[in-house]
């Protein structure tokens, strides 16, 4: 049973559950048994009403409910407000929501509707009437269609098509006079999200989904053909050529369409953009897919300038290294590493011939700077965590790395079979907190390389490369740079004096000069 309120009270809808108590009382048959049948006909019947769901503020404007109806299966309610401009609402009352599933405002010329009922055989149809007119309704929003991703106009009809993230295609009639229905309804769906909806100049509607599939439909939304074997990432954009496709010849290799006749499926060539920042060109005659370029799709953590040429190397967490000419603003070449290898740090060696790369999962590569191919047969994997710093010595005989586990690792060049090759030397967990800087320098008296690391534990550590050997990295000395603040970065001061200085900045917005030999603050 249903009850509603109007007038000065807050509008609300109550769904009630009731039953006759006549059969629920075991003693009642004994009580009424001596009575004649005629007396039983006039026996008062007890009825109990218990609200199982209440919808408050069903008419936020303050008007009551004029008419109400419920479907035979008791899943949906329909209401008409008592306002000057009446509102028809469909409620799925079994859900814990206070808003209708769909609604419609009635024009005044339809008259004041005061009666409403569902079709007993079809829950999706209902009718209302005023004193002079009856209105028939058909509704289909019995489930959510999902968030919209893109909308286009239909090629031939006055309709708008919207693709949704739940894989549905929603069709809307463009606004018509009040005598015609204009309620939206979904007409097609697939299992995966539709991320792109476009119209091909050849007369097709085109969709791209999260599985990398591209599908073509005719004006009746019947599927004509699709591309699903490219194994692409989710489709983000489609752009068709302005040049029409050439008519088929004996040498043409167009795909057949999905009709029984199997005609040639002739569409213009088009560009595909995917969610992994890749752009492809598809030649439909022969179905040739060509990757045009790929851009970083994740954060860029690594950048390094060439020491002599106007080149800049950029590394992304998605595993792409791209080299640009920053004077001409021109992209030169790139390398895409396998999945799981994200670039964290990049550094050119002093000659600009090598590029050291540290990765998020601990791998270290030494690459040829002009081709980005490996200088070593295999990458180095001596760290379990992200490699945050890479540095080369002035003579390119040593390379050092630091990771987020406060560990410094050293690699060096050795001669084997008459060839110079890179080998792992040693590593040491020398800090208690994150390493902020890793620098190579030069001993003034011997021109030998020296290695220093600076940590947020306020320690400046110099290593003894000459006495280090396989799996043993020696420490030369340790000095404390700050008391309360912690250091943030370190660079070599320009050689303006006979002394060598290290310039260290700290969290207290101070810059300090340290003598690189005595480690004393100047």
């Amino acid at each position: 049973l249903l009850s509603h309120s109007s007038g000065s009270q807050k509008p609300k809808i109550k769904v009630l559950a009731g039953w006759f108590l006549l059969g629920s009382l075991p003693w009642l048959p004994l009580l009424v048994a001596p009575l004649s049948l005629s007396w039983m006909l006039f026996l008062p019947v007890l009825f109990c009403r218990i609200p199982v769901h209440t919808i408050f503020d069903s008419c936020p404007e303050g008007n009551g409910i004029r008419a109400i109806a419920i479907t035979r299966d008791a899943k949906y309610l329909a209401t008409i407000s008592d306002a000057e401009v009446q509102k028809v609402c469909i409620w799925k009352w079994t859900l814990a929501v206070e808003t209708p599933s769909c609604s419609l405002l009635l024009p005044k010329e339809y008259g004041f509707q005061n009666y409403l009922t569902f079709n007993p055989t079809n829950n999706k149809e209902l009718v209302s009437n005023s004193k002079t007119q009856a209105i028939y309704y058909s509704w289909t929003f019995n489930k959510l269609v999902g968030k919209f991703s893109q909308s286009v106009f239909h090629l031939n009809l006055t309709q708008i098509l919207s693709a949704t993230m739940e894989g549905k295609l929603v069709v809307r009639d463009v606004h018509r006079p009040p005598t015609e229905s204009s309620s939206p309804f979904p007409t097609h769906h697939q299992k995966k999200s539709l991320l792109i909806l476009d119209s091909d100049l050849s007369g097709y509607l085109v969709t791209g989904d999260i599985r990398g599939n591209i599908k073509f439909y005719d004006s009746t939304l019947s599927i004509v053909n699709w591309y699903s074997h490219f194994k692409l990432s989710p489709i983000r954009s489609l752009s068709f050529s302005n040049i029409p496709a050439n008519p088929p010849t004996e040498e043409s290799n167009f795909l057949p369409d999905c009709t029984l006749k199997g005609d040639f499926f002739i569409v213009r060539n088009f560009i595909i953009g995917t969610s992994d920042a890749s752009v492809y060109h598809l030649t439909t005659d022969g179905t040739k897919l060509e990757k045009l370029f790929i851009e970083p799709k994740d954060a860029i953590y690594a950048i390094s300038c060439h020491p002599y040429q106007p080149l800049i190397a950029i590394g992304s967490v998605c595993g792409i290294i791209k080299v640009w000419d920053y004077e001409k603003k021109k992209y030169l070449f790139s390398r895409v590493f396998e999945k799981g290898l994200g670039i964290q740090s990049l550094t050119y060696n002093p000659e600009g011939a090598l590029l050291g790369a540290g990765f998020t999962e601990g791998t270290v590569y030494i690459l040829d700077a002009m081709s980005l191919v490996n200088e070593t047969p295999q990458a180095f994997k001596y760290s379990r965590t992200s490699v945050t710093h890479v540095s080369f010595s002035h003579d390119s005989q040593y390379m050092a790395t630091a990771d987020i586990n406060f560990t410094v690792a050293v690699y060096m060049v050795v001669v084997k079979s008459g060839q110079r090759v890179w080998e792992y030397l040693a590593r040491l967990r020398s800090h208690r907190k994150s390493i902020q800087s890793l620098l190579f320098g030069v001993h003034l008296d011997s021109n030998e390389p020296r290695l220093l690391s600076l940590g947020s534990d306020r320690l400046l550590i110099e290593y003894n490369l000459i006495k280090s050997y396989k799996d043993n990295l020696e420490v030369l000395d340790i000095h404390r740079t700050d008391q309360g603040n912690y250091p943030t970065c370190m660079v070599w001061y320009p050689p303006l004096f006979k002394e060598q200085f290290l310039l260290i900045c700290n969290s207290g917005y101070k810059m300090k000069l340290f003598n690189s030999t005595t480690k004393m603050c100047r």
Side-chain angles (χ1 to χ4, degrees), residues 428 430 461-465 468 472-478:
L428 178 67
S430 50
I461 300 177
E462 183 169 1
Y463 304 88
N464 194 331
L465 296 178
S468 298
N472 187 78
L473 182 59
E474 291 285 342
V475 173
L476 183 63
D477 56 43
I478 301 175

Side-chain angles (χ1 to χ4, degrees), residues 392-414:
F392 285 93
S393 63
H394 73 289
D395 55 3
S396 296
Q397 295 299 304
Y398 291 92
M399 183 185 76
T401 64
D403 61 32
I404 61 175
N405 271 353
F406 328 134
T407 302
V408 173
V410 178
Y411 307 83
M412 65 180 300
V413 174
V414 297

Side-chain angles (χ1 to χ4, degrees), residues 359-513:
F359 289 77
T360 53
E361 40 68 69
T363 303
V364 175
Y365 278 81
I366 301 177
L367 309 172
D368 180 270
M370 293 296 107
S371 63
L372 300 183
V373 298
N374 293 359
E375 277 289 309
T376 56
Q378 292 182 346
F380 297 111
K381 186 68 169 68
Y382 292 94
S383 177
R384 297 178 182 176
T385 56
S386 183
V387 178
T388 56
H389 297 78
V390 179
S391 183
F392 285 93
S393 63
H394 73 289
D395 55 3
S396 296
Q397 295 299 304
Y398 291 92
M399 183 185 76
T401 64
D403 61 32
I404 61 175
N405 271 353
F406 328 134
T407 302
V408 173
V410 178
Y411 307 83
M412 65 180 300
V413 174
V414 297
V415 178
K416 286 187 176 181
S417 302
Q419 292 187 348
R420 292 161 51 89
V421 295
W422 285 91
E423 279 191 353
Y424 163 76
L425 177 61
R427 61 196 302 263
L428 178 67
R429 183 168 180 169
S430 50
H431 290 272
R432 298 190 301 271
K433 293 184 179 180
S434 61
I435 297 174
Q436 304 289 60
S437 294
L438 184 68
L439 292 179
F440 274 98
V442 182
H443 286 285
L444 293 177
D445 54 349
S446 64
N447 203 37
E448 289 292 328
R450 55 191 300 198
L451 177 62
L452 303 99
S453 64
L454 178 68
S456 56
D457 55 3
R458 305 177 181 87
L459 297 181
L460 174 61
I461 300 177
E462 183 169 1
Y463 304 88
N464 194 331
L465 296 178
I466 296 177
K467 292 187 178 181
S468 298
Y469 52 91
K470 186 71 172 180
D471 296 326
N472 187 78
L473 182 59
E474 291 285 342
V475 173
L476 183 63
D477 56 43
I478 301 175
H479 288 268
R480 191 178 184 89
T481 63
D482 289 272
Q483 296 298 323
N485 300 310
Y486 60 87
T488 56
C489 61
M490 172 178 67
V491 295
W492 285 106
Y493 195 74
L496 305 177
F497 310 97
K498 292 182 179 180
E499 296 179 85
Q500 279 188 338
F501 290 102
L502 289 165
L503 178 63
I504 297 178
C505 300
N506 67 18
S507 59
Y509 309 104
K510 294 181 181 179
M511 294 185 291
K512 296 182 178 181
L513 278 180

